[in-house]
Amino acid sequence: MRKVLTKEKILKISILIGTILVGILFIYSLYKVNIFQILRNGINEAKREEIQIQTKAQYQIMKANGEDYEIVITIENQNGIEKIVSEDLSIEGKGKNKIAIDKKMREGEEYRLNIKAVGEEEEEYVLIATSQIPVITITNMDVTGDGTTKGVKIEYPNNEKFNNYYSLDDGITWQEYSEEITALEIENKTINAKVEVKEAKTIQNVAEVQAIIVSDSLLSAAQKAVIGNNRHYRIAIKDEVYPVHTYVENGDTTYTTNKTYGDANDAGTASANAKNMVLVKVNGDLTVNSGVTVTSYGTSYGGTKGMLLYVTGTLENRGTITMTARGAKAEGQNVYLWKNADASQRGEYEFVPKIGALGGTSVSLSSSYRTGRAGATGGNGTSRKTGGGASGAVYCDFTSSTATSGRGGNGTSYSGGSGGGGARNGTNAQQGSDNGGAGGNGARPSNYGSGAGGGAGNPGGGSSGGQSNSGGNGTGGLLILYGNTIQNRGTISSNGAVGGSAYYAGGGSSGGGSINIFYNEAITRGTISAAGGSVSGVIGYEGYRGGAGGSGSISIGNIVEGTYSPK
């Protein structure tokens, strides 16, 4: 007997469906949750898990002598490996999840493995040894003339045995590459590339292809683009490209111990500038417990090119989130944080200018007997700028002498300015770096004992003579925070360092950083600081202090309606 829906049942079903839809709309209006984004993220994660269940076969070139390679092949399967067979070996896997094989090969040489995983059919995998990987480049930053569309080209290893593929979602789906790609900023595509052997499954080169994300702002890229954990990308926005090292935390997260993001490859060294910004995305709420510090990797040569912490839910900070003394040794760029929906209100972009506040001017003194002058304060950062570095102090012992301190370095988008060195009696001290590098060295006559302090920087400038000290290591860095709601009950900071103290002439201190906070729903401000380093100390009663580093900038605003509204 066929069941017939009565008007009463139809009404009940309609009411139920309506209630569900109202509930979804209520959740959206209350929390600004993008339901479709959540669903898409769920689908992407499911696809990634499906990919991971399959056998993963990779190789890494451990040592190269011309075109001769020492290679390690790694076979992984979550269900376990039964057997691996080739022309020169046979391995009983006994259900192990991972097996490594050493192999010597030449450029272009083939190696075939038959792999039998638990519960799967035996399959053939092929390795074609090559040190070449696909290279993704932007050939045109402005295809359409309005800065919103990029031309992207991929160069692949020149081998007819490979098929060339590209992805617009960081490897979730692939399609064969035939010509240059046109990418719209608004679409936030993550463009990746790979090669595959034509007639069999491929043992992939583990070397990471540096994918490109085309976006209209850093916050949009963090929100919408497909990114992976502990991966490297380049984000192309307007006329700039930003290399980033990404980290992803899925689900509500609580930090109970200190967290340092980034590594030695991201920060500067004695001979090289910093390479990458650190981008941390938390899909959920983030709580930073009391006593816990969250920062980026850094050494005496500075930190990363900024840190962006993006939290899709509530960011509750009871500890310290900081880029104090983490400014980067690097050339500045205009850093495009957010593209406003209504450019008529505040302009098209919220951005950190490539050049920050100016450094304090050098100080000179001549024809003076046993007197000196304090260093000049660095300029204060406005409109998202970092602070300038301070100049060092000067001191003269005799009326026939002249001394000039080192000026403070200018700030950049990634660093407050470095401090200049102090100078004594007939010498010229070194200026602070204009790219977040070293502080200026102090100077004194070689036949004088006590001398002058170094300026703060990455690293701090050296002192000259006894009873004087090197400048502090560090400058204020770039810090970008986003949370749907932000509750800051701890400290958010990006401060500079103090110049070296001295008996006669102290070194200049470094400038404060740039703190940029964005939110949707609400914010509790708490303690937020982007101060320059304080004036340097004096050791002797006749000493003069190096100047204070300029204050950086603190910008806080709401973007719920698409256009930044300062609060």
Side-chain angles (χ1 to χ4, degrees):
M1 179 176 173
R2 188 177 65 176
K3 293 184 178 180
V4 178
L5 291 176
T6 65
K7 290 183 178 180
E8 183 179 354
K9 288 183 178 179
I10 292 173
L11 180 60
K12 288 181 179 179
I13 292 172
S14 300
I15 292 172
L16 178 60
I17 293 172
T19 302
I20 293 171
L21 290 174
V22 169
I24 291 173
L25 291 174
F26 174 75
I27 292 172
Y28 174 79
S29 65
L30 186 62
Y31 299 105
K32 295 297 183 293
V33 174
N34 189 326
I35 303 299
F36 298 105
Q37 181 73 25
I38 292 173
L39 291 173
R40 186 178 72 178
N41 289 343
I43 292 170
N44 287 344
E45 287 301 316
K47 287 180 179 178
R48 286 188 186 277
E49 290 177 6
E50 181 182 348
I51 292 169
Q52 290 171 0
I53 290 172
Q54 299 171 3
T55 297
K56 183 165 71 173
Q58 297 179 315
Y59 73 94
Q60 182 175 5
I61 298 175
M62 307 302 294
K63 186 177 180 180
N65 182 12
E67 293 190 342
D68 294 319
Y69 306 134
E70 293 182 15
I71 288 173
V72 173
I73 304 167
T74 305
I75 312 299
E76 295 182 70
N77 189 290
Q78 293 180 4
N79 296 329
I81 301 166
E82 284 189 14
K83 196 171 186 177
I84 301 174
V85 178
S86 73
E87 60 183 12
D88 61 347
L89 61 78
S90 179
I91 300 174
E92 295 294 333
K94 299 180 180 179
K96 292 180 180 178
N97 298 114
K98 183 176 181 179
I99 294 176
I101 302 167
D102 294 326
K103 184 71 177 173
K104 291 183 178 181
M105 300 183 69
R106 285 187 58 78
E107 175 73 27
E109 183 182 352
E110 291 186 21
Y111 187 57
R112 295 175 181 268
L113 292 174
N114 291 313
I115 302 171
K116 173 71 171 67
V118 175
E120 299 177 15
E121 296 293 325
E122 182 176 290
E123 293 184 290
E124 184 181 49
Y125 285 74
V126 177
L127 185 162
I128 298 180
T130 180
S131 60
Q132 303 173 50
I133 60 173
V135 176
I136 307 172
T137 57
I138 296 179
T139 58
N140 191 338
M141 291 290 285
D142 190 6
V143 173
T144 54
D146 59 2
T148 63
T149 308
K150 314 289 187 226
V152 180
K153 181 180 179 181
I154 307 174
E155 296 181 359
Y156 294 87
N158 186 19
N159 192 318
E160 62 182 12
K161 295 179 181 179
F162 286 135
N163 283 328
N164 302 328
Y165 294 94
Y166 74 98
S167 171
L168 297 177
D169 51 22
D170 199 27
I172 295 173
T173 59
W174 295 94
Q175 48 197 313
E176 197 159 353
Y177 180 84
S178 59
E179 60 183 0
E180 188 171 303
I181 303 163
T182 300
L184 302 177
E185 286 187 344
I186 196 171
E187 293 179 343
N188 290 279
K189 299 296 186 183
T190 305
I191 302 168
N192 210 332
K194 70 174 181 178
V195 294
E196 287 193 350
V197 178
K198 290 181 178 179
E199 81 277 10
K201 292 201 170 183
T202 306
I203 301 175
Q204 293 281 355
N205 191 334
V206 74
E208 182 181 12
V209 175
Q210 196 169 40
I212 284 180
I213 297 171
V214 176
S215 183
D216 62 7
S217 71
L218 284 174
L219 291 184
S220 290
Q223 177 192 7
K224 300 175 182 178
V226 179
I227 60 174
N229 182 46
N230 198 15
R231 294 279 306 281
H232 294 85
Y233 302 89
R234 287 163 293 161
I235 303 178
I237 303 168
K238 201 174 187 298
D239 53 358
E240 299 281 9
V241 177
Y242 313 101
V244 297
H245 187 174
T246 61
Y247 295 86
V248 179
E249 308 274 5
N250 287 314
D252 294 346
T253 303
T254 299
Y255 292 160
T256 57
T257 58
N258 293 341
K259 298 287 287 187
T260 299
Y261 286 102
D263 56 39
N265 293 318
D266 300 322
T269 65
S271 59
N273 285 351
K275 297 180 179 66
N276 299 313
M277 177 182 291
V278 169
L279 190 163
V280 183
K281 183 175 183 179
V282 179
N283 289 309
D285 298 336
L286 173 63
T287 301
V288 180
N289 278 356
S290 177
V292 172
T293 297
V294 180
T295 189
S296 79
Y297 180 89
T299 70
S300 60
Y301 297 101
T304 63
K305 295 169 73 173
M307 180 172 72
L308 192 169
L309 178 57
Y310 189 99
V311 181
T312 63
T314 297
L315 168 57
E316 182 179 3
N317 175 41
R318 297 179 178 274
T320 301
I321 300 173
T322 185
M323 285 295 284
T324 291
R326 286 294 192 274
K329 173 189 170 185
E331 295 293 331
Q333 297 173 276
N334 289 330
V335 180
Y336 297 108
L337 308 175
W338 179 251
K339 187 173 184 179
N340 289 313
D342 185 356
S344 66
Q345 294 186 34
R346 287 185 53 85
E348 189 174 15
Y349 289 96
E350 301 299 322
F351 71 100
V352 181
K354 65 184 297 183
I355 299 175
L358 301 182
T361 57
S362 60
V363 177
S364 293
L365 191 64
S366 61
S367 302
S368 298
Y369 177 68
R370 301 190 72 173
T371 188
R373 292 178 61 187
T377 301
N380 292 329
T382 58
S383 302
R384 303 189 187 275
K385 290 182 180 181
T386 58
S391 64
V394 294
Y395 184 88
C396 287
D397 296 85
F398 303 104
T399 57
S400 60
S401 66
T402 298
T404 302
S405 70
R407 72 167 175 84
N410 301 329
T412 74
S413 51
Y414 299 121
S415 172
S418 301
R424 181 186 178 192
N425 228 48
T427 60
N428 296 322
Q430 189 178 35
Q431 71 180 48
S433 168
D434 284 332
N435 70 340
N441 294 328
R444 84 192 196 292
S446 59
N447 60 333
Y448 281 59
S450 299
N458 296 310
S463 61
S464 179
Q467 299 187 79
S468 59
N469 294 293
S470 298
N473 292 328
T475 56
L478 171 61
L479 180 59
I480 309 159
L481 300 178
Y482 169 84
N484 187 54
T485 297
I486 295 178
Q487 299 172 358
N488 180 34
R489 296 182 172 88
T491 299
I492 297 171
S493 63
S494 184
N495 301 324
V498 178
S501 58
Y503 193 93
Y504 288 107
S509 297
S510 61
S514 173
I515 297 178
N516 304 272
I517 300 175
F518 300 82
Y519 69 97
N520 275 348
E521 292 297 322
I523 186 168
T524 303
R525 289 174 179 260
T527 300
I528 306 174
S529 173
S534 59
V535 294
S536 61
V538 292
I539 296 173
Y541 68 93
E542 294 182 284
Y544 288 80
R545 301 177 188 271
S551 297
S553 58
I554 299 170
S555 305
I556 302 172
N558 182 290
I559 54 173
V560 69
E561 299 299 334
T563 296
Y564 180 84
S565 176
K567 302 296 180 183

